[in-house]
Amino acid sequence: MATGSVSGAAVRGCTHPRGCHTGDLPVLASATVGARFWLLIEHSGPWASHLEDCRLPEDVHTLIKRAVHLGIRPQLIRRPGRRSPYGTGIHVMVADSTAAQPWLAESVLAGPDDLDMDALVAGVVPESCILVSEPVFLVCTHAKRNACCARIGLPLARTLAEILPDRVWETSHVGGDRYAANLVCLPHGLYYGSMSQAAAIAAADAYRSGEVILDRFRGRAGIPEPLQAAEHFVRSHTGELSVGGVAVESSRSDGDTTEAFVRGSDARFRVVVEPMTLTTPCGTACADTITTYRLVTLDRLAPVRYATSALT
């Protein structure tokens, strides 16, 4: 099996193909499809491999079960380098990543009944929560799920937290261990993978300015992977980097091929993509295969006659 590396340093015990953690292999169109709504729960740990197996207060388990039932993605979070309990109450944040204007809100709950999750999935800020104006950055450090996430993610989270105190959290599994270190930017649910410390700082700075960086950009959570790919190729073609500057308007699939109509900042595009499998650098000895997307066609259709917001 291959040994992953970051900046040339081997990660012991890593079974991912070479290049997964360095950015040498493509990461595009790999953001978690099911993450439209988020529930972040502060808990200092330790974290078991799966949330349902963690030793958590019963109230926290109740919140997680309700979230999963409603299609909300639960995440445990903790401050980088800290392992002390939060204190009185349950500190949570909730987010809607695919709303016309994505939002993030925060609360300290006395119990699980204080959080109206039905409101969240309806796109409404729960009454017990207060909107948060600053973004939140999650770095996966879930060692029991995959050792690579902790070995690469922990130093990245601590470095990023020094630059953006109170905005950075370690988090449980976000999906895509092979892309560690993984960074998620909320409320928009932007995923980055194979992050070095310099790449994470650049991505966080860009997001705070309402932009994305295509290097190591996995995509936007909550939309199908082929549509993430279509958006990626339009951004690459046009150079449009504003978060809300590119969006799929409609799409249809025929077998493995997907046709999407994508709005850019000043034009619409017809984009056709299809999946492709890469041969990993370590050859057939690797159990993993790397699936990505290739661009079949990209056609400019017509100008866009309305403006777009930078953060929608």
Side-chain angles (χ1 to χ4, degrees):
M1 287 293 193
T3 300
S5 64
V6 174
S7 301
V11 179
R12 291 174 298 171
C14 175
T15 58
H16 298 124
R18 290 187 181 95
C20 278
H21 303 311
T22 62
D24 294 329
L25 290 175
V27 302
L28 68 93
S30 62
T32 301
V33 173
R36 296 172 55 88
F37 306 101
W38 300 76
L39 170 62
L40 315 181
I41 307 171
E42 184 172 357
H43 185 269
S44 59
W47 300 337
S49 176
H50 294 79
L51 298 193
E52 61 268 25
D53 297 326
C54 291
R55 293 182 178 178
L56 302 170
E58 189 58 37
D59 283 352
V60 174
H61 273 302
T62 298
L63 283 170
I64 290 172
K65 290 175 183 176
R66 289 180 183 175
V68 171
H69 176 72
L70 291 171
I72 300 168
R73 185 175 183 91
Q75 298 284 145
L76 297 178
I77 60 173
R78 61 192 176 201
R79 290 296 188 189
R82 300 183 198 171
R83 292 296 181 269
S84 57
Y86 173 75
T88 304
I90 309 168
H91 178 217
V92 302
M93 285 181 277
V94 293
D96 182 349
S97 287
T98 53
Q101 295 184 340
W103 52 265
L104 178 73
E106 186 173 26
S107 182
V108 177
L109 310 174
D113 291 339
D114 287 348
L115 182 61
D116 185 352
M117 294 195 207
D118 289 323
L120 173 58
V121 297
V124 177
V125 179
E127 288 187 2
S128 59
C129 297
I130 299 174
L131 282 172
V132 176
S133 59
E134 289 292 321
V136 161
F137 301 96
L138 307 180
V139 179
C140 182
T141 60
H142 200 161
K144 288 294 180 68
R145 190 63 179 252
N146 191 282
C148 298
C149 295
R151 289 171 176 161
I152 307 171
L154 278 169
L156 188 150
R158 290 168 182 166
T159 296
L160 199 58
E162 291 175 359
I163 298 169
L164 296 170
D166 300 326
R167 308 317 308 163
V168 178
W169 298 84
E170 296 179 21
T171 192
S172 53
H173 179 66
V174 296
D177 299 329
R178 69 172 56 178
Y179 304 116
N182 282 298
L183 173 70
V184 181
C185 308
L186 290 176
H188 285 79
L190 306 184
Y191 269 58
Y192 288 88
S194 305
M195 298 298 274
S196 65
Q197 294 182 16
I201 293 168
D205 284 344
Y207 184 56
R208 295 175 75 212
S209 299
E211 294 188 340
V212 302
I213 291 178
L214 289 185
D215 181 38
R216 311 191 191 201
F217 181 49
R218 290 181 57 188
R220 183 168 174 174
I223 64 175
E225 290 179 353
L227 306 189
Q228 295 179 37
E231 289 189 2
H232 184 99
F233 290 126
V234 169
R235 288 188 184 278
S236 181
H237 177 75
T238 63
E240 176 58 65
L241 298 178
S242 65
V243 172
V246 173
V248 173
E249 294 181 331
S250 63
S251 66
R252 67 180 185 89
S253 295
D254 183 6
D256 288 338
T257 301
T258 298
E259 176 188 50
F261 292 90
V262 183
R263 167 184 53 78
S265 58
D266 61 354
R268 295 176 67 248
F269 299 87
R270 174 183 173 269
V271 186
V272 179
V273 300
E274 63 182 18
M276 61 179 291
T277 301
L278 297 179
T279 302
T280 57
C282 50
T284 57
C286 286
D288 278 342
T289 57
I290 303 296
T291 301
T292 185
Y293 286 83
R294 77 177 189 93
L295 177 64
V296 179
T297 59
L298 190 155
D299 300 314
R300 183 185 178 99
L301 298 178
V304 170
R305 301 187 183 280
Y306 48 88
T308 60
S309 170
L311 281 176
T312 59

